Amino acid sequence: MDPQLGQWAVSMNTKNKTRTIALILVGGFSSRMGEDKSFLRVRSNFDSKTFLQSVLQRVSFLCETVYISLRKEQVSDYLSAISPENLILDEELPLEGPLKGILSTYRFLKKNGTMESILVVPVDMPLVRIRTLERLIREQVSSQIGVFYKTENQLEPLCGLYHSQTLDNLSRLLDSGRLSTFSPKELLEKLGPRLLELPENEKKFFRNVNTPSEHQNLTPKSTD
């Protein structure tokens, strides 16, 4: 655990711009990277932040409330940076992968009387632009399913805006044993959300960092 992470912890219930809830996915096993990607660093000409710090600052600029989705065994590593009430553990659901974290969060919020849309962002996308995320929130009125980006003719399901009704429908299908796939991408393609074209000048920032070599190539120039 990075001892300096705590000083970058963002207050997650400040007066920001939208009631849309932000969810940062950190529960992956990082098998290709070989270590928890949340605590890797992005170095620029100005400072050095962890992936988690970088994504937190971006989503906290836009969203009033931010949650972190993670596995139970990860909790001790995150408590020095994140208030316990902002950590949501995966439920014991009959599925794996990112959909488990997304639906666990939705079910937690529903139990607590919250039915807002959820802006999902993966922790391994530390360079994503604030304006890229803001566009997803702004365009949510145009679809009752959700809003996502299309990159190279493919829907990107793990950085997008999920409407609460979509998550409720998926949760009900899971409970009834009728969820046809655990792939968020395949489910969304069947549902037909609003798809946005990513502006050319934002594409280089809209990418996952999955391997040591990709991390090595996060140079100061790529964070301009």
Side-chain angles (χ1 to χ4, degrees):
M1 174 63 177
D2 188 332
Q4 296 184 347
L5 184 56
Q7 68 177 324
W8 283 96
V10 176
S11 174
M12 295 191 191
N13 291 295
T14 54
K15 295 179 181 178
N16 287 311
K17 292 182 173 59
T18 177
R19 293 177 60 189
T20 297
I21 290 168
L23 176 65
I24 303 175
L25 299 175
V26 307
F29 289 95
S30 302
S31 56
R32 284 181 285 174
M33 186 64 72
E35 59 182 297
D36 193 328
K37 288 183 277 189
S38 290
F39 309 121
L40 297 174
R41 289 196 170 274
V42 181
R43 292 178 172 81
S44 72
N45 293 326
F46 308 103
D47 54 23
S48 177
K49 300 184 183 72
T50 66
F51 282 23
L52 180 59
Q53 291 163 0
S54 182
V55 177
L56 259 176
Q57 288 186 329
R58 285 161 165 76
V59 298
S60 295
F61 185 81
L62 297 169
C63 297
E64 187 174 289
T65 305
V66 182
Y67 288 102
I68 310 295
S69 166
L70 72 171
R71 306 186 316 276
K72 182 178 180 180
E73 59 268 28
Q74 294 177 286
V75 170
S76 60
D77 288 336
Y78 285 80
L79 284 176
S80 65
I82 308 299
S83 298
E85 61 266 26
N86 293 100
L87 300 177
I88 298 182
L89 306 186
D90 286 349
E91 287 190 8
E92 294 296 327
L93 299 176
L95 76 165
E96 295 297 335
L99 188 61
K100 186 173 188 177
I102 295 170
L103 289 184
S104 293
T105 298
Y106 169 74
R107 290 156 80 101
F108 170 84
L109 295 173
K110 185 178 180 181
K111 287 176 186 175
N112 287 276
T114 302
M115 294 288 286
E116 300 294 338
S117 300
I118 299 179
L119 174 68
V120 173
V121 185
V123 78
D124 62 5
M125 196 178 279
L127 305 183
V128 64
R129 303 291 87 180
I130 290 174
R131 60 180 172 270
T132 303
L133 301 176
E134 191 275 335
R135 193 178 297 113
L136 292 167
I137 295 171
R138 187 177 69 241
E139 294 295 331
Q140 66 179 297
V141 296
S142 65
S143 171
Q144 294 302 308
I145 306 298
V147 186
F148 300 84
Y149 284 106
K150 182 173 64 173
T151 59
E152 298 178 357
N153 294 318
Q154 297 287 323
L155 182 154
E156 172 48 63
L158 300 186
C159 185
L161 192 290
Y162 287 78
H163 269 291
S164 59
Q165 188 58 55
T166 296
L167 295 174
D168 193 62
N169 291 339
L170 294 178
S171 183
R172 292 174 186 274
L173 287 172
L174 178 66
D175 289 340
S176 65
R178 294 183 293 121
L179 196 62
S180 60
T181 175
F182 298 153
S183 164
K185 180 175 179 292
E186 292 179 14
L187 289 168
L188 289 168
E189 286 175 340
K190 292 178 181 179
L191 293 171
R194 171 80 186 278
L195 295 181
L196 304 179
E197 292 289 343
L198 191 64
E200 193 65 35
N201 62 354
E202 297 175 30
K203 288 182 179 179
K204 68 177 181 179
F205 305 110
F206 192 81
R207 58 191 176 103
N208 304 97
V209 181
N210 292 310
T211 65
S213 62
E214 290 173 351
H215 181 220
Q216 187 77 21
N217 288 331
L218 284 180
T219 62
K221 180 178 290 188
S222 70
T223 64
D224 287 345

